[in-house]
Amino acid sequence: MNLNNIPQIKHTDSDNFFLLAGPCAIEGEDMAMRIAEKAVAITDKLEIPYIFKGSFKKANRSRIDSFTGIGDEKALKILRKVSETFHVPTVTDIHEIRDANLAAEYVDVLQIPAFLVRQTDLVVAAANTGKTINLKKGQFMSPESMKHAVQKVLDCGNEQAVITDRGTMFGYQDMIVDFRGIPTMKQYAPVVLDVTHSLQQPNQSSGVTGGRPEMIGTIAKAGIAAGVNGLFMETHFDPANAKSDGANMLHLDLLENLLSQLVAIRKTINSFK
């Protein structure tokens, strides 16, 4: 993936990791703008190439009464406003073939959710938009198997693919990150580590996914040390009351300190080359 091919992305010459970060779901315009404003200020200060993340809808929910979104076009228009206001690219996930062209009108990067990354028609529809495609590695898939997902994108004539590792299932209710997979997947495409989803504790009897946010720093630092190209994390100014995935989010107030540490680690790692 060539970051320079993503409109409005900045600091591509900083030799830093790049960052995809924002709320799990777009809950409204005010919250999205508040999170984006702070994230942009921090990443500009630290010279981190930044892409604002927000799901325009959440199709994969444990319960039928779980929050799924505020309306597709309403949320997508908020993502566009974030991009135009702060001059940053945006990424959102898609779940159905018809979502590909719709979302591509508003965002710069289309994300294929982990549970759907083997859905050929969905991957092809996304790739055919010409947008950068972020392929989430399925929790059930080996690192080696992700080369086939990348190849589907390439076979559509789209060379803008990236792989995001979001952990592997460990029993029914826990996730682990196998850092051995990072150099393996870097043979196929740039690799991002999804720090916050890797700390989910799914399949809770309550139907609400749990998490271990206190481990975000540990996983993120290990990812940088292992050589990931980028990081993905969800952040919110009030995780306890976020409408989706609040249990594993990073509090927005903690973002700058963590990113500062990660930049320092990346600088050290780069000095070994």
Side-chain angles (χ1 to χ4, degrees):
M1 183 183 73
N2 183 354
L3 291 177
N4 290 310
N5 288 341
I6 300 177
Q8 302 196 75
I9 198 161
K10 298 175 285 185
H11 310 301
T12 55
D13 57 351
S14 67
D15 207 26
N16 255 329
F17 56 91
F18 59 93
L19 177 69
L20 293 80
C24 177
I26 300 298
E27 302 169 8
E29 182 176 315
D30 290 345
M31 64 83 67
M33 299 296 279
R34 178 176 172 182
I35 293 170
E37 182 177 25
K38 187 159 188 176
V40 168
I42 294 168
T43 52
D44 276 351
K45 177 181 177 181
L46 297 174
E47 298 187 340
I48 299 171
Y50 174 59
I51 302 169
F52 178 84
K53 181 269 167 184
S55 297
F56 77 96
K57 68 177 176 182
K58 302 299 296 182
N60 175 26
R61 302 287 85 192
S62 297
R63 300 186 334 204
I64 198 168
D65 60 346
S66 297
F67 174 79
T68 58
I70 60 174
D72 294 357
E73 291 206 48
K74 183 178 180 180
L76 287 166
K77 286 178 179 178
I78 291 171
L79 285 165
R80 176 186 281 168
K81 185 170 183 178
V82 166
S83 181
E84 293 174 346
T85 302
F86 299 106
H87 307 291
V88 293
T90 55
V91 56
T92 198
D93 38 345
I94 63 173
H95 303 85
E96 301 178 70
I97 294 169
R98 64 185 180 186
D99 291 343
N101 287 330
L102 173 63
E105 295 181 19
Y106 296 90
V107 304
D108 305 287
V109 181
L110 298 180
Q111 180 170 287
I112 306 299
F115 283 134
L116 299 176
V117 75
R118 290 189 58 175
Q119 296 295 104
T120 299
D121 289 349
L122 181 63
V123 173
V124 168
N128 283 339
T129 66
K131 298 289 184 175
T132 298
I133 308 302
N134 182 24
L135 301 160
K136 285 282 194 84
K137 185 183 82 67
Q139 300 93 316
F140 47 87
M141 293 173 66
S142 69
E144 291 81 3
S145 65
M146 283 304 294
K147 66 183 175 183
H148 303 298
V150 172
Q151 191 61 50
K152 290 175 184 178
V153 177
L154 297 176
D155 286 346
C156 293
N158 186 336
E159 298 183 355
Q160 293 297 303
V162 60
I163 300 170
T164 293
D165 191 341
R166 50 85 31 89
T168 300
M169 287 303 300
F170 186 70
Y172 289 119
Q173 296 173 332
D174 210 356
M175 309 285 292
I176 59 170
V177 177
D178 183 355
F179 290 96
R180 298 173 300 176
I182 292 171
T184 297
M185 292 186 292
K186 285 178 72 174
Q187 298 176 65
Y188 319 133
V191 173
V192 174
L193 178 59
D194 182 342
V195 179
T196 50
H197 285 104
S198 296
L199 294 168
Q200 280 187 333
Q201 293 180 315
N203 301 321
Q204 300 294 325
S205 58
S206 64
V208 178
T209 297
R212 298 195 61 190
E214 74 278 5
M215 297 295 293
I216 288 173
T218 299
I219 297 297
K221 292 170 187 175
I224 295 297
V228 294
N229 302 100
L231 292 176
F232 178 111
M233 59 181 74
E234 292 183 338
T235 183
H236 197 290
F237 49 80
D238 187 10
N241 290 302
K243 294 184 178 180
S244 178
D245 281 3
N248 51 270
M249 278 189 188
L250 178 71
H251 197 292
L252 190 60
D253 289 345
L254 303 177
L255 183 62
E256 182 170 2
N257 183 56
L258 175 58
L259 291 179
S260 297
Q261 294 179 44
L262 298 175
V263 167
I265 295 171
R266 175 62 175 250
K267 185 176 181 179
T268 300
I269 294 298
N270 287 343
S271 71
F272 298 150
K273 295 178 181 178

